[in-house]
Amino acid sequence: MSLAITGFYASLTALLVIIFAYRVIRLRSEHKIGVGVEDNTTLLIATRVHGNLLENAPLTLILMMATEMNGMSPTLLHCFGSVWIFSRLLHAAGLILGKGGAHFGRYWGTLLTWIVMLGLAVVNCIQFFDPM
């Protein structure tokens, strides 16, 4: 069975991980901070943008892979995957623009991430009890 759709969204997620990691590295170099964040709020936020993606990506992609392996329609998989990528970009923008505080993007990015995870979890449970 092909996992091309999950592979595509995993690849987009990997690109985001690299972009966010590069931002952390650039800020570390610019501010000469090797470990930790010292009192640098910009670096702290950059590490949280990167870390938050890494905290959510594995489970989301595992759930997506399982639904794809169990026969979820490509259209629904692309819906979940598109919202996943959009939510992570929205969260990152909100965290950066809100300087770590409340922000529209941070709120909706988190909420959409949870909706994707919850939706995939529900679909996987349904597929378990009612295989296609």
Side-chain angles (χ1 to χ4, degrees), residues 57-101:
L59 184 55
T60 302
L61 294 170
I62 289 167
L63 289 167
M64 189 174 206
M65 181 181 67
T67 59
E68 185 169 9
M69 289 177 70
N70 289 324
M72 177 182 261
S73 79
T75 301
L76 284 175
L77 281 167
H78 281 296
C79 287
F80 278 117
S82 297
V83 173
W84 159 249
I85 295 298
F86 176 72
S87 70
R88 295 292 75 211
L89 289 169
L90 193 59
H91 179 268
L95 194 52
I96 293 165
L97 295 173
K99 298 183 185 332

Side-chain angles (χ1 to χ4, degrees), residues 24-124:
V24 170
I25 291 166
R26 186 179 50 78
L27 287 168
R28 286 191 184 288
S29 177
E30 180 181 316
H31 298 284
K32 297 179 180 20
I33 300 171
V35 176
V37 296
E38 294 181 5
D39 290 329
N40 190 307
T41 304
T42 305
L43 180 56
L44 174 62
I45 291 167
T47 60
R48 286 312 310 141
V49 166
H50 182 244
N52 192 274
L53 174 61
L54 291 172
E55 291 161 6
N56 286 282
L59 184 55
T60 302
L61 294 170
I62 289 167
L63 289 167
M64 189 174 206
M65 181 181 67
T67 59
E68 185 169 9
M69 289 177 70
N70 289 324
M72 177 182 261
S73 79
T75 301
L76 284 175
L77 281 167
H78 281 296
C79 287
F80 278 117
S82 297
V83 173
W84 159 249
I85 295 298
F86 176 72
S87 70
R88 295 292 75 211
L89 289 169
L90 193 59
H91 179 268
L95 194 52
I96 293 165
L97 295 173
K99 298 183 185 332
H103 188 276
F104 171 88
R106 187 176 182 189
Y107 174 82
W108 283 100
T110 300
L111 184 60
L112 290 171
T113 295
W114 290 352
I115 288 170
V116 167
M117 292 174 85
L118 179 62
L120 288 168
V122 168
V123 168
N124 274 297

